[in-house]
């Protein structure tokens, strides 16, 4: 039996061979016709998007039933794919219902919204609407992502949405870390890892899998969703696909991710391939596979993901009561997230919710730092690198897909790129943990960037600064164990806190405790 028939009974009717004339070099299994690009309308609708209904649902009604009962006619908001940085009025554009990842020239695509239609309502209206939905159970607006549905996927039906009420993550005032280690009084950590699968990837995956759910209902040839991953993407993809009953396929680099990350896609029923290569090798393979088989590509090459991830930026503004922080520092690997944050802040500025955007910093591990090297060259020459092993495994990427997006975001936010050595990022993680945070190594990379920019005077003592934490620390316990056991070769592990071995008798325990209490810092 042919491999293709195992994936889809009607797959033989599709053309699995490359079509050189096709405008999309990746998705060769289905034509992606260019849709007619209508001129955006500024005509005001009869009524604004409704606020969440306040009537309590009856006992025999679930949250989806309630949403259907309160459903009203939608406004004329729309979005479509256009070539990156081309604008809504681009002559080349594609419906979001098409399976397309690249422009005719082979460049990146972007989801562009009809800003003129959104401008029908002023910034005060959007602020009030988004704030009114926070943390509610009204489907689907209780999600931090779908509470901004009009700015994410305005045309999707609520019944097609696959959500775990992701987002609404904690903005943690890092008071002790800021004062003790940096002399700062306005430092915050956005804990995006406090999410359904323990990473910020949930924000993008709810959008992508929801759209796939819609495509399958429309009988598009999508038999599953696939991704290359260094861990967190596969966890999010597999969870959301499992919720929707959609097969997920995961390409993982063998022996390069933590066990906590590996077990998630396995537990969620994904078809997991452990491949003897690095992330960049897995990415190359998944792109080739999705061009031949009707498997939907879920990596951040797919711009749908970024629509969900940008909502974290809007959340930050909400949590500061719509006051703009001075700095936002984001770890960078494949580099979609730094652009997503820029996009969220920029939409808020363009639509009148705020009057400026923060300066962005992208932080990379020194062992996988192509963007940092590009930045240091004055943006003259970009060269992919061979990513070396790093404790910040999710950003161990040498040839980032979203390099152009990241550069655009940084140039338009007066941004900076900084790097962190392995010892620096692990020390920063240990310091943060000692103040109660329990962060991932990638957040250690971002904190290292902050430490360097603070020491150089670029970031001031009173600058309101937000560090984006991308994953939960529990996914990286082995690296923490190795650090505190001082078991990492060629690393001093200056802030290690190993357990003290003591005999099981009163005198020995008293001696150890007295010694500890004598050295403990005194209250001021």
């Amino acid at each position: 039996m042919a491999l293709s028939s195992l994936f889809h009974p009607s797959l033989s009717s599709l053309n699995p061979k490359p079509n050189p004339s096709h405008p999309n070099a990746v998705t060769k299994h289905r034509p992606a016709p260019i849709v007619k690009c209508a001129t955006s309308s500024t005509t005001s609708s009869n009524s604004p998007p409704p606020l969440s209904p306040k009537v309590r649902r009856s006992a025999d009604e679930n949250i989806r039933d309630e949403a259907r009962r309160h459903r009203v006619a939608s406004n004329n908001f729309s979005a479509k794919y256009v070539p990156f940085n081309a604008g809504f009025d681009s002559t080349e554009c594609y419906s979001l219902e098409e399976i397309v990842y690249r422009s005719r020239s082979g460049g990146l695509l972007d989801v562009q919204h009809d800003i003129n239609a959104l401008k029908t309502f002023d910034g005060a209206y959007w602020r009030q609407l988004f704030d009114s939905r926070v943390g509610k159970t009204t489907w689907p607006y209780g999600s931090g992502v779908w509470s901004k549905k009009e700015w994410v996927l305005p045309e999707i039906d609520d019944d097609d949405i696959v959500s775990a009420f992701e987002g609404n993550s904690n903005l943690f005032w890092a008071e002790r870390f800021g004062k003790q280690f940096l002399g700062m009084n306005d430092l915050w950590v956005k804990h995006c890892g406090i999410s359904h699968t323990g990473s910020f990837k949930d924000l993008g995956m709810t959008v992508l899998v929801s759209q796939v759910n819609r495509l399958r209902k429309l009988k598009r040839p999508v038999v599953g969703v696939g991704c290359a991953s260094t861990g967190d993407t596969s966890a999010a993809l597999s969870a959301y696909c499992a919720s929707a009953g959609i097969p997920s396929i995961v390409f993982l680099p063998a022996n390069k991710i933590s066990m906590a990350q590996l077990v998630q896609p396995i537990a969620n029923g994904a078809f997991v391939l452990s491949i003897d290569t690095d992330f960049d090798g897995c990415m190359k393979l998944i792109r080739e596979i999705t061009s031949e088989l009707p498997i939907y590509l879920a990596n951040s090459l797919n711009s749908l993901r970024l629509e969900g991830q940008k909502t974290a930026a809007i959340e930050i503004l909400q949590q500061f009561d719509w006051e703009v922080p001075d700095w936002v520092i984001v770890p960078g690997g494949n580099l979609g997230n730094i652009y997503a944050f820029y996009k969220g802040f920029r939409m808020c500025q363009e639509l009148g919710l705020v009057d400026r955007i923060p300066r962005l910093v992208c932080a990379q591990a020194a062992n996988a730092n192509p963007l940092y090297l590009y930045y240091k060259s004055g943006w003259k020459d970009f060269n992919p690198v061979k990513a070396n092993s790093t404790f910040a495994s999710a950003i161990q990427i040498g040839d980032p897909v979203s390099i152009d997006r990241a550069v655009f975001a940084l140039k338009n936010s007066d941004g900076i790129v900084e790097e962190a050595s392995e010892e620096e990022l692990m020390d920063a993680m240990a310091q943060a943990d000692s103040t109660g945070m329990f962060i991932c190594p990638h957040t250690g990379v971002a904190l290292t960037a902050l430490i360097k920019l603070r020491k150089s005077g670029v970031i001031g003592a009173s600058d309101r600064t937000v560090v984006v934490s991308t994953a939960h620390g529990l996914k990286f316990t082995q690296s923490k164990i190795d650090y505190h056991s001082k078991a990492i070769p060629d690393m001093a592990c200056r802030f290690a806190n190993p357990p003290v071995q003591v005999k099981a008798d009163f005198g020995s325990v008293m001696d150890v405790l007295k010694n500890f209490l004598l050295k403990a810092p005194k209250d001021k």
Side-chain angles (χ1 to χ4, degrees):
M1 181 181 291
L3 174 63
S4 59
S5 64
L6 295 174
F7 280 85
H8 196 277
S10 60
L11 190 60
S12 57
S13 64
L14 302 174
N15 178 14
K17 296 183 179 180
N19 179 3
S21 64
H22 193 278
N24 179 5
V26 178
T27 55
K28 294 174 248 183
H29 62 270
R30 174 177 170 82
I34 299 176
V35 299
K36 184 177 180 181
C37 298
T39 304
S40 58
S41 170
T42 58
T43 303
S44 177
S45 57
N46 293 329
S47 61
L51 300 181
S52 301
K54 297 181 181 300
V55 179
R56 184 172 180 177
R57 60 182 174 269
S58 60
D60 60 349
E61 211 176 30
N62 63 39
I63 58 174
R64 288 182 185 270
D65 294 331
E66 178 190 47
R68 294 186 194 103
R69 178 164 56 85
H70 288 282
R71 190 169 298 167
V72 296
S74 61
N75 287 276
N76 294 321
F77 301 133
S78 62
K80 58 193 176 185
Y81 296 120
V82 301
F84 173 67
N85 203 24
F88 190 79
D89 295 324
S90 170
T91 56
E92 181 185 353
C93 58
Y94 307 89
S95 165
L96 297 187
E97 293 176 4
E98 294 301 328
I99 302 170
V100 55
Y101 314 120
R102 291 250 188 211
S103 68
R104 283 180 293 183
S105 66
L108 296 169
L109 292 173
D110 199 14
V111 174
Q112 282 292 319
H113 293 259
D114 186 345
I115 295 295
N116 285 332
L118 293 170
K119 283 182 177 178
T120 301
F121 305 103
D122 63 15
Y125 172 78
W126 289 115
R127 289 194 298 267
Q128 193 274 334
L129 177 66
F130 294 161
D131 286 348
S132 73
R133 294 169 169 172
V134 172
K136 304 295 174 61
T137 59
T138 305
W139 182 265
Y141 301 117
S143 157
V145 173
W146 297 108
S147 63
K148 288 87 176 171
K149 180 187 174 186
E150 295 84 357
W151 292 21
V152 176
L153 278 187
E155 297 169 277
I156 194 170
D157 190 276
D158 290 352
D159 283 352
D160 294 336
I161 290 174
V162 183
S163 173
F165 278 42
E166 52 289 307
N168 297 322
S169 58
N170 179 27
L171 187 61
F172 175 82
W173 182 26
E175 179 186 24
R176 186 177 163 211
F177 184 90
K179 289 181 177 178
Q180 181 174 339
F181 299 113
L182 296 167
M184 297 181 72
N185 60 7
D186 208 358
L187 175 63
W188 303 79
V189 176
K190 178 65 170 169
H191 279 293
C192 292
I194 301 176
S195 189
H196 181 55
T197 71
S199 88
F200 79 97
K201 300 295 178 70
D202 293 345
L203 303 178
M205 210 57 75
T206 181
V207 177
L208 184 140
V209 174
S210 294
Q211 186 66 359
V212 171
N213 196 36
R214 173 171 170 75
L215 293 175
R216 283 163 63 90
K217 290 182 180 180
L218 293 172
K219 306 302 181 184
R220 297 291 193 270
V222 178
V223 299
V225 190
C227 74
S229 179
T230 49
D232 292 331
T233 300
S234 65
L237 174 66
S238 60
Y240 282 85
C241 280
S243 178
I246 300 171
S248 59
I249 301 99
V250 172
F251 288 19
L252 295 175
N255 303 316
K256 291 183 174 66
I257 69 171
S258 74
M259 187 59 64
Q261 290 172 302
L262 174 62
V263 75
Q264 286 183 284
I266 291 173
N268 287 138
F271 185 66
V272 179
L273 285 74
S274 180
I275 301 174
D276 187 20
T277 183
D278 57 10
F279 171 82
D280 295 313
C282 288
M283 189 69 216
K284 179 177 182 294
L285 284 168
I286 194 69
R287 288 176 61 184
E288 291 171 347
I289 294 298
T290 53
S291 71
E292 298 293 337
L293 295 172
I295 299 170
Y296 195 81
L297 181 64
N299 285 97
S300 57
L301 173 65
N302 188 320
S303 51
L304 280 175
R305 286 255 310 273
L306 307 186
E307 293 306 289
Q309 290 168 210
K310 77 183 181 189
T311 62
I314 306 171
E315 271 188 25
I316 288 172
L317 296 176
Q318 283 182 282
Q319 289 167 312
F320 284 132
D321 199 20
W322 302 101
E323 293 181 2
V324 182
D326 298 302
W327 298 88
V328 174
I329 305 174
V330 184
N334 223 9
L335 302 181
N337 211 25
I338 188 72
Y339 175 67
F341 270 82
Y342 169 78
K343 192 173 186 181
F345 288 128
R346 181 70 182 93
M347 282 190 75
C348 287
Q349 182 189 37
E350 194 170 7
L351 290 166
L353 285 76
V354 296
D355 59 3
R356 65 183 180 88
I357 66 174
R359 292 186 69 182
L360 298 179
V361 178
C362 190
Q364 292 208 293
N367 282 0
N369 63 349
L371 179 67
Y372 175 77
L373 297 175
Y374 192 20
Y375 171 77
K376 295 299 284 186
S377 75
W379 305 121
K380 291 178 181 177
D381 296 300
F382 174 73
N383 295 297
V385 302
K386 175 66 175 177
N388 294 314
S389 178
T390 171
F391 285 103
S393 57
I395 57 175
Q396 187 178 319
I397 299 169
D399 190 10
V401 165
S402 292
I403 180 66
D404 293 337
R405 292 169 173 152
V407 173
F408 180 86
L410 290 161
K411 285 184 175 179
N412 284 279
S413 63
D414 192 18
I416 295 172
V417 187
E418 195 44 272
E419 68 172 356
S421 71
E422 293 302 288
E423 187 153 13
E424 287 172 335
L425 73 89
M426 292 298 286
D427 282 348
M429 181 174 71
Q431 288 176 298
D433 288 354
S434 73
T435 66
M437 278 193 263
F438 203 73
I439 60 169
C440 65
H442 318 87
T443 312
V445 174
L447 287 172
T448 298
L450 169 62
I451 291 167
K452 289 182 174 181
L453 293 172
R454 178 74 188 95
K455 285 182 177 178
S456 66
V458 174
I459 294 180
S462 60
D463 287 358
R464 174 168 284 180
T465 304
V466 178
V467 171
V468 176
S469 179
T470 55
H472 202 293
L474 283 172
K475 288 190 171 190
F476 301 92
T477 52
Q478 189 59 53
S479 66
K480 294 175 183 289
I481 291 168
D482 291 344
Y483 182 92
H484 288 288
S485 302
K486 294 193 173 185
I488 302 173
D490 303 318
M491 188 177 292
C493 303
R494 292 184 299 140
F495 304 101
N497 182 33
V500 176
Q501 300 293 324
V502 61
K503 293 180 180 179
D505 65 77
F506 178 81
S508 298
V509 172
M510 283 293 290
D511 289 343
V512 167
L513 286 175
K514 287 178 180 178
N515 186 51
F516 166 74
L517 294 172
L518 286 172
K519 295 179 180 179
K522 304 296 186 292
D523 292 336
K524 293 182 180 180

